[in-house]
Amino acid sequence: GQVAVAGGHLPICMAGDGLPLILLHGWTLDHRMWAPQLEGLADRFFCVAPDRRGCGRATAPSDLSREAEDVIAIADALGFERFALAGLSQGAV
């Protein structure tokens, strides 16, 4: 799937069932870095791994100041009222 954000779209990979968990990859990477973790988490969580702005297949240009609104856009698009958030490196900021 993909989610519309200011300036473009963010592709999202979804896997699993359970409580929502959004996974943010590090800078210059994409959602594929989470593949090993998805295998272990998908039996307990509904995992969502987007390609962040400027990375992977995202069409939205890089803009770190829009990270929070992008996460909210993903949560809103998927109907999440509450969710857990995990990130690596720049994705953890």
Side-chain angles (χ1 to χ4, degrees):
Q2 64 180 5
V3 174
V5 295
H9 290 86
L10 304 179
I12 57 173
C13 173
M14 297 173 281
D17 189 31
L19 299 173
L21 171 62
I22 298 175
L23 301 162
L24 300 179
H25 61 79
W27 194 243
T28 73
L29 302 171
D30 64 24
H31 75 277
R32 294 174 299 169
M33 66 143 286
W34 293 111
Q37 289 79 15
L38 289 175
E39 235 178 84
L41 293 170
D43 62 339
R44 295 176 305 221
F45 298 96
F46 177 63
C47 300
V48 179
D51 283 350
R52 293 172 51 218
R53 292 175 167 272
C55 300
R57 294 176 296 130
T59 61
S62 298
D63 186 347
L64 295 176
S65 69
R66 293 189 176 269
E67 290 279 352
E69 68 186 64
D70 290 350
V71 170
I72 292 168
I74 292 166
D76 287 349
L78 297 173
F80 298 162
E81 290 185 28
R82 295 176 57 118
F83 57 92
L85 183 63
L88 171 80
S89 189
Q90 184 65 44
V93 173

